[in-house]
Amino acid sequence: MTSIDPALLLSNKPSTNNTGSSNLGKDEFLKILMTQLQNQDPLNPMEDKEFIAQMAQFSTLEQTTNMASMLEKFINIQTQGDSIIKYSEMIGKQIEWKDSNEETGTGIVKSVKKSDTGFELELENGSFVSVDNIIKVSKSES
């Protein structure tokens, strides 16, 4: 009669706190598949259909992961939204602005500049206005 090694019992396993995600990624899926292949019964191996189905699932998972990654990059580009080209449409337009000190003013946009704090519009009088302070854009009255 063979006995079960007590070290293999689940109650004797060291407890581990898994702080990772509960979602299986492609790496975890591949590890599970490799473990399954290494530990299969040699007298009753996995059928070809099962193996092909699992590989198809892996391929689908990988493509979905790649698509999600590309979609995330696209969304990041779209949400940044601010571009010098976007604000270049204001060149030649009259703007009204109000800053954080409640000071207001108007001017004609001469150029657009990207700074460390964001985008700024240079007015014909040489002053700069942050695009965040613009309250109105209209046709130039020249």
Side-chain angles (χ1 to χ4, degrees):
M1 179 172 174
T2 58
S3 65
I4 297 175
D5 183 2
L8 297 176
L9 295 176
L10 289 177
S11 60
N12 292 335
K13 266 199 149 170
S15 63
T16 58
N17 292 333
N18 188 359
T19 57
S21 171
S22 63
N23 296 333
L24 288 177
K26 64 181 182 179
D27 293 333
E28 289 82 10
F29 185 85
L30 191 55
K31 286 178 187 176
I32 290 171
L33 182 62
M34 291 305 296
T35 302
Q36 183 180 3
L37 288 173
Q38 289 171 350
N39 295 313
Q40 67 182 337
D41 182 1
L43 299 176
N44 186 17
M46 184 188 313
E47 291 187 26
D48 291 345
K49 292 176 188 175
E50 291 175 33
F51 183 71
I52 291 170
Q54 287 185 347
M55 289 306 294
Q57 287 174 343
F58 176 72
S59 177
T60 302
L61 174 65
E62 185 173 27
Q63 292 303 316
T64 303
T65 303
N66 292 342
M67 187 171 65
S69 174
M70 294 303 290
L71 187 57
E72 184 177 338
K73 288 178 185 176
F74 177 74
I75 289 171
N76 285 339
I77 290 170
Q78 294 299 313
T79 55
Q80 288 173 352
D82 291 339
S83 71
I84 203 156
I85 294 171
K86 174 182 171 182
Y87 294 115
S88 69
E89 296 175 4
M90 293 186 181
I91 295 174
K93 302 271 174 85
Q94 180 163 335
I95 62 164
E96 290 182 33
W97 53 270
K98 181 191 259 184
D99 64 16
S100 57
N101 298 328
E102 298 298 316
E103 294 179 23
T104 61
T106 62
I108 307 274
V109 178
K110 177 181 168 185
S111 66
V112 181
K113 173 178 121 174
K114 184 175 183 178
S115 68
D116 293 337
T117 58
F119 289 93
E120 295 180 336
L121 304 177
E122 181 182 8
L123 304 181
E124 286 184 340
N125 65 8
S127 63
F128 286 90
V129 176
S130 171
V131 294
D132 297 331
N133 296 336
I134 297 172
I135 56 174
K136 183 178 179 183
V137 178
S138 57
K139 272 187 169 180
S140 173
E141 297 175 4
S142 52

